[in-house]
Amino acid sequence: MKYYSLNHNTPKVSFQEAVIQGLAPDKGLYFPESIAKLDTDFFNNIENLSNEAIAYEAIRQFVGDEIPEANLKQIIAETLCFEFPTVKVENNIYALELYHGPTMAFKDVGARFMSRCLAYFNQDKKDNKNTVLVATSGDTGGAVASGFLGVEGVDVVILYPSGKVSDIQERQLTTLGQNIKALEVDGVFDDCQDMVKKAFLDESLEYKKLTSANSINIARWLPQMFYFFFAYKQLKSQNKPMVFSCPSGNFGNICAGIMAKKLGLPIEHFVAATNVNDTVPQFLVTGKYEPKPSKATISNAMDVGNPSNFIRIQELYNNDLNAFKKDFTSFSYDDETTTQALKDIYKNSGYIAEPHGAVGYLGLKKEMQNHPDAIGIFLETAHPIKFLDIVEPVLQIELPIPTQIESVLNKEKISVKIKTYVALKAFLQSS
Ligand SMILES: *Cc1c(COP(=O)(O)O)cnc(C)c1O
């Protein structure tokens, strides 16, 4: 499979090159040059297939012959080492829980898949390391740290805003050691992101072979398609149209859902639910795409003012706004409404959501008014324990600590404090 840049100013590349580069040399996001529908037999028979078999069918055309079948199946098996249950919350409303992985965030799947692809491509070039450089507002860092831990041929450098991620999130990215380094930035997430972008453009760092592990990287983005297939497999027997609501920040997850639909998965409608960082909901109202600086909210993994994957969504619809609007709506919710939703969900059904899932639930409930015969699925993208500072006082409960989290709580934090790009560069050059 070849990938082209959405800036159209650079030659097409292979899957391998796209994964290693992350972003195209012309700063565009990579996009597959063709997308073929899967057989109807596959969908007719999906309930009899394992998650691994489903994932293999979904992703194989995007990898092509660049990873042999047996290796790709092995990568998928290592990626999908946990469950993806759909949990009934109300009549016709389900939570798709994506948080049962090692760091209890949905980003585990993309991080595990990408790290193993890179390791496969690097297996014969031990002296030729890649450096994964990533900025995190919270959850990406932990998932990337865990997903890449001990992976041969890859060093990982994670930038996070000092004091702006939760205690658990910070421990998940600062306590692992080995090939994982954490840089604590005196600033906000946007400062981290800006420094990372600058490093990618810095020719004097070319020898470090920097790549990203954000959802701009196709190997992080594409495996997120799997979730939608897994939910379909579990709920298919109900014989109802399906509406999915994704709590959205960089819009990678929902964009992967739209890819799944392109592959033939029968999804009736998508909702992108955001916090007050409402660039996309505003775009759907005004037709103007106006990125803004991000604002801090209680759903901090979605504090994104310029969602990087939105351009891929537009490409999936050939930039046809009317076709897009038929399949897709987007709503924004403030922290107060989100907090109230957390309470309501718990009071009405006993289900413990967290702020991101609650935003997804709100968007779903609103859209379901237009789909009375459908079932609605909102993605629960993190375990409530990751946001215990909010969930515990709001619901007045105490959450038991899952084993995945317990294992990092008593480990020592190791980070390097930096403030400027000069400091980042010096760090990269000396490591
Ligand atoms: C990253 C993240 C999101 C947003 O996902 P995107 O693919 O960036 O839209 C939502 N919830 C949680 C918990 C996350 O970590």
Side-chain angles (χ1 to χ4, degrees), residues 106-107 139 224 247-253 301-302 356 381-382:
F106 83 86
K107 295 184 173 75
D139 268 6
Q224 300 180 147
S248 297
N250 257 324
F251 284 64
N253 220 356
M302 312 197 295
H356 305 77
T381 43

Side-chain angles (χ1 to χ4, degrees), residues 104-107 137-140 169 215 220-221 224 246-256 273 299-304 307-309 354-357 379-383 386-387:
M104 314 211 88
F106 83 86
K107 295 184 173 75
S137 60
D139 268 6
T140 302
Q169 288 175 330
S215 49
R220 252 265 341 248
W221 166 53
Q224 300 180 147
C246 304
S248 297
N250 257 324
F251 284 64
N253 220 356
I254 195 162
C255 184
S299 48
N300 66 16
M302 312 197 295
D303 294 350
V304 181
S308 35
N309 285 290
E354 53 68 60
H356 305 77
L379 277 49
E380 192 31 292
T381 43
H383 190 288
K386 308 249 344 239
F387 297 91

Side-chain angles (χ1 to χ4, degrees), residues 339-388:
T339 308
Q340 189 58 45
L342 277 176
K343 285 187 197 159
D344 292 344
I345 297 168
Y346 185 61
K347 194 171 122 228
N348 297 334
S349 66
Y351 188 76
I352 301 172
E354 53 68 60
H356 305 77
V359 169
Y361 170 88
L362 284 164
L364 181 63
K365 288 289 276 189
K366 179 160 181 181
E367 182 61 35
M368 286 300 278
Q369 294 167 3
N370 303 325
H371 307 267
D373 301 326
I375 48 177
I377 300 123
F378 67 96
L379 277 49
E380 192 31 292
T381 43
H383 190 288
I385 197 77
K386 308 249 344 239
F387 297 91
L388 91 173

